Amino acid sequence: ETGVTQSPTHLIKTRGQQVTLRCSSQSGHNTVSWYQQALGQGPQFIFQYYREEENGRGNFPPRFSGLQFPNYSSELNVNALELDDSALYLCASSQGTRVYEQFFGPGTRLTVL
Amino acid sequence: QKEVEQDPGPLSVPEGAIVSLNCTYSNSAFQYFMWYRQYSRKGPELLMYTYSSGNKEDGRFTAQVDKSSKYISLFIRDSQPSDSATYLCAMLFNAGGTSYGKLTFGQGTILTVHP
């Protein structure tokens, strides 16, 4: 069974740029959720994708957007980067209604200068 | 007021001690309660989840949920240096068994178990 993978591991961008982060869900999982974790804080829910449709969204502006592909992998796109976007971005996968069992990837560390 | 409150610690204990980690919450609609362990520079790892009130045990770990007090706990018996990590509580409201799963996390408690 393959776990959740994310790429890239680290990324450095400058303010105003755009970034795309990628996530491959665990084998057999059709739901992907994205979270932002600032240093010293718990993860904050960005949004969730289920069967290629956005299934819910947290309190993040529209410049945070995403996609889910037919193989259930997913992308998180952030436009017009701000300094406060510097964080660890985590994706988690789950299967159907078993959303109480979300398995996280290792994360992408984004630094915005 | 945050929906989920967790003492960030840090908590330092000797090897073999019993560790108690706690979270309180304000949203009575939460139904599922999870504990995650996060090592430095890694993603969170699901330790266990509990549905509604009650206890759940898995090896050295015991989770307790008291919905009447809006209080959850994780106990670690015979703690080991390898248990040193940040422990995150998380909660979920899932109406009607849908596929929607927004986890609401606490801040995390930093635990160090020293030999």
Side-chain angles (χ1 to χ4, degrees), chain A residues 26-68:
Chain A
Q26 185 167 310
S27 177
H29 286 185
N30 56 12
T31 304
V32 172
S33 305
W34 286 92
Y35 294 83
Q36 180 196 66
Q37 186 177 24
L39 199 60
Q41 301 297 315
Q44 298 288 315
F45 177 76
I46 302 175
F47 44 56
Q48 180 183 64
Y49 281 83
Y50 172 64
R51 293 184 175 178
E52 303 179 58
E53 297 286 331
E54 187 178 293
N55 195 31
R57 189 176 184 92
N59 189 27
F60 280 80
R63 59 190 185 83
F64 286 78
S65 63
L67 282 173
Q68 188 179 31

Side-chain angles (χ1 to χ4, degrees), chain B:
Chain B
Q1 182 189 7
K2 292 183 179 180
E3 278 191 289
V4 180
E5 298 277 1
Q6 185 176 8
D7 186 341
L11 185 60
S12 181
V13 301
E15 183 175 355
I18 297 174
V19 176
S20 172
L21 304 166
N22 312 292
C23 290
T24 59
Y25 63 95
S26 57
N27 187 348
S28 58
F30 286 135
Q31 300 165 299
Y32 290 89
F33 304 89
M34 281 68 71
W35 286 96
Y36 283 85
R37 176 173 64 194
Q38 186 173 26
Y39 292 113
S40 181
R41 300 189 175 277
K42 302 288 186 183
E45 172 194 2
L46 179 64
L47 291 174
M48 55 203 309
Y49 72 87
T50 308
Y51 174 71
S52 192
S53 285
N55 295 357
K56 189 171 185 178
E57 187 174 321
D58 184 0
R60 296 184 294 113
F61 298 88
T62 299
Q64 288 186 351
V65 175
D66 181 350
K67 290 195 73 178
S68 63
S69 302
K70 298 189 181 67
Y71 189 86
I72 71 169
S73 301
L74 177 71
F75 297 95
I76 307 174
R77 291 184 299 280
D78 187 25
S79 57
Q80 303 294 311
S82 59
D83 294 328
S84 299
T86 297
Y87 288 80
L88 296 156
C89 64
M91 304 183 187
L92 171 68
F93 168 67
N94 183 241
T98 69
S99 61
Y100 177 63
K102 171 189 171 183
L103 296 181
T104 302
F105 282 87
Q107 182 178 354
T109 299
I110 299 171
L111 171 67
T112 300
V113 181
H114 52 87

